[in-house]
Amino acid sequence: MGARIVSLVNQKGGVGKTTTAVSLAVALARRGQRVLLVDLDPQANATSALGVLCSDRPGVYDAILDETPIAECIARVEEEGVDLVPSSAELSGAEVELVPVLARERRLANALQPVREQYDWVLIDCPPSLGLLTINALTASDSVIIPVQCEYMALEGLSRLMETLELVRRNLNPGLSILGVILTMFDPRTRLAQQVVDEVRGHFPQTFATIIPRSVRLSEAPSHGQSIFRYDPGGRSAAAYEAVASELLERVGVAV
């Protein structure tokens, strides 16, 4: 069986998806889990957030388009305890380049197969769209985690995401499930934020109990090429992602 492959997906940008992907990857690694983070977003934010320079090495583009063995594309991030398949700007052309490719939806799934036994978790940071890259991630995954920000119109677009998940289930990956919904950017000073929390929990019983607070430190950390656990280890954001990691491990039956 090997690693659990989980996509972090929401086609709406600015919901804390990359922050959650990086923070969760490092939080799981801190609990002794072997973690591979795949940066599938052409903006390469997860790559820069972990302080990796992608210009001098093959990355996810090479693995998907050129079928470079993924083992050659993995960068070890010693300071954070995780492995990373970096992204780069050239990935932005992949949506178009994949169109004529045979079995184009399965390129990432095929690429990950040889290294699956080496990890407990493979987390995929998806781009903020429902294009071919995201379809590749969903086809490769066992389940998805959906970050949702605690702001107005948070649920807008989620119905479209649900439709996409259903299409992928029907046509490409029947076993795909929702592992959880993570509420992000919570500001307790606004009544609206609590309304969003209640609404999301009403729609999605898989929502994690832990809520990620809105935090300046959390948004600063990537510019320093560090996870929140290195940048502000004693802060409430680090504690929140630690708690989400514990919930996640409990949810899949791993002793914590």
Side-chain angles (χ1 to χ4, degrees):
M1 167 63 185
R4 290 179 174 84
I5 302 181
V6 182
S7 282
L8 285 97
V9 60
N10 190 329
Q11 78 272 25
K12 196 171 183 299
V15 301
K17 180 176 51 58
T18 296
T19 299
T20 295
V22 170
S23 303
L24 201 49
V26 177
L28 288 167
R30 286 162 59 87
R31 280 166 161 64
Q33 300 288 293
R34 299 167 302 163
V35 183
L36 175 65
L37 178 61
V38 179
D39 187 354
L40 201 60
D41 188 341
Q43 295 173 78
N45 290 334
T47 299
S48 58
L50 286 171
V52 173
L53 296 173
C54 52
S55 54
D56 56 350
R57 63 170 70 248
V60 72
Y61 174 90
D62 306 274
I64 293 175
L65 269 300
D66 299 336
E67 298 186 284
T68 302
I70 203 148
E72 295 176 21
C73 305
I74 293 172
R76 177 70 184 162
V77 187
E78 290 289 352
E79 301 85 356
E80 307 286 5
V82 301
D83 286 355
L84 172 75
V85 180
S87 179
S88 60
E90 61 186 344
L91 191 62
S92 55
E95 297 275 358
V96 176
E97 292 175 63
L98 278 168
V99 171
V101 173
L102 193 66
R104 60 193 179 192
E105 300 92 351
R106 299 193 179 276
R107 295 299 281 242
L108 182 59
N110 294 340
L112 288 172
Q113 204 54 45
V115 298
R116 190 166 184 172
E117 293 297 328
Q118 298 168 28
Y119 297 97
D120 300 305
W121 297 86
V122 175
L123 302 184
I124 305 172
D125 184 29
C126 295
S129 71
L130 295 177
L132 262 175
L133 288 173
T134 297
I135 298 298
N136 258 270
L138 297 177
T139 303
S141 295
D142 305 307
S143 54
V144 300
I145 289 176
I146 306 168
V148 176
Q149 86 279 33
C150 299
E151 291 176 4
Y152 182 59
M153 298 203 304
L155 291 170
E156 188 194 18
L158 279 185
S159 58
R160 188 155 163 252
L161 175 56
M162 293 302 126
E163 287 167 15
T164 302
L165 293 177
E166 187 49 46
L167 276 171
V168 170
R169 271 191 211 106
R170 204 178 309 147
N171 297 299
L172 297 163
N173 185 0
L176 186 67
S177 64
I178 298 175
L179 185 51
V181 174
I182 297 180
L183 291 157
T184 64
M185 303 182 184
F186 179 75
D187 185 346
R189 295 170 299 182
T190 67
R191 188 184 304 155
L192 176 67
Q194 190 56 53
Q195 288 172 349
V196 171
V197 169
D198 296 340
E199 202 172 338
V200 171
R201 285 185 171 152
H203 281 82
F204 298 98
Q206 313 97 318
T207 303
F208 287 92
T210 304
I211 298 174
I212 309 301
R214 181 176 284 285
S215 159
V216 174
R217 307 289 281 170
L218 197 54
S219 52
E220 286 174 350
S223 64
H224 295 265
Q226 296 180 348
S227 75
I228 192 64
F229 298 103
R230 287 177 65 215
Y231 186 68
D232 187 25
R236 57 200 181 111
S237 298
Y241 277 113
E242 289 273 21
V244 170
S246 293
E247 275 192 72
L248 182 58
L249 291 170
E250 200 175 301
R251 200 166 278 200
V252 300
V254 176
V256 290

